[in-house]
Amino acid sequence: MDSLKDRTVEELQALQEDAAEIERLALESREVQELQLEREMALAANRSLAEQNLKFQVPLETGRSELSS
């Protein structure tokens, strides 16, 4: 948000009323982009773990069935 440091008080006050511009500035910020990348990486890791867990579902259910027999 370094771009806000260079703005005048009047520009900042006008910016407060422009939701679209605030959103644009936020999406362009390095911090938000890093958070979005972290989120995407976490989602990919979670998906991978979920897929691995699904591979164990059938053997686990089979084992449970055999154990209860």
Side-chain angles (χ1 to χ4, degrees):
M1 289 290 172
D2 290 333
S3 64
L4 296 178
K5 292 179 183 178
D6 300 331
R7 296 189 181 217
T8 65
V9 172
E10 292 81 16
E11 289 173 328
L12 293 172
Q13 287 173 337
L15 179 62
Q16 283 182 316
E17 298 173 9
D18 189 350
E21 180 66 7
I22 291 172
E23 183 176 353
R24 185 190 68 75
L25 289 172
L27 291 175
E28 287 180 356
S29 79
R30 182 178 48 84
E31 295 90 349
V32 171
Q33 289 177 358
E34 288 174 1
L35 287 172
Q36 287 176 332
L37 179 59
E38 284 180 33
R39 179 180 180 270
E40 290 172 13
M41 290 172 54
L43 287 172
N46 285 346
R47 180 183 180 110
S48 176
L49 288 171
E51 289 171 351
Q52 289 176 356
N53 286 340
L54 287 173
K55 290 178 186 177
F56 293 117
Q57 183 176 3
V58 171
L60 180 62
E61 289 174 358
T62 303
R64 281 184 188 157
S65 177
E66 291 174 359
L67 184 61
S68 66
S69 297

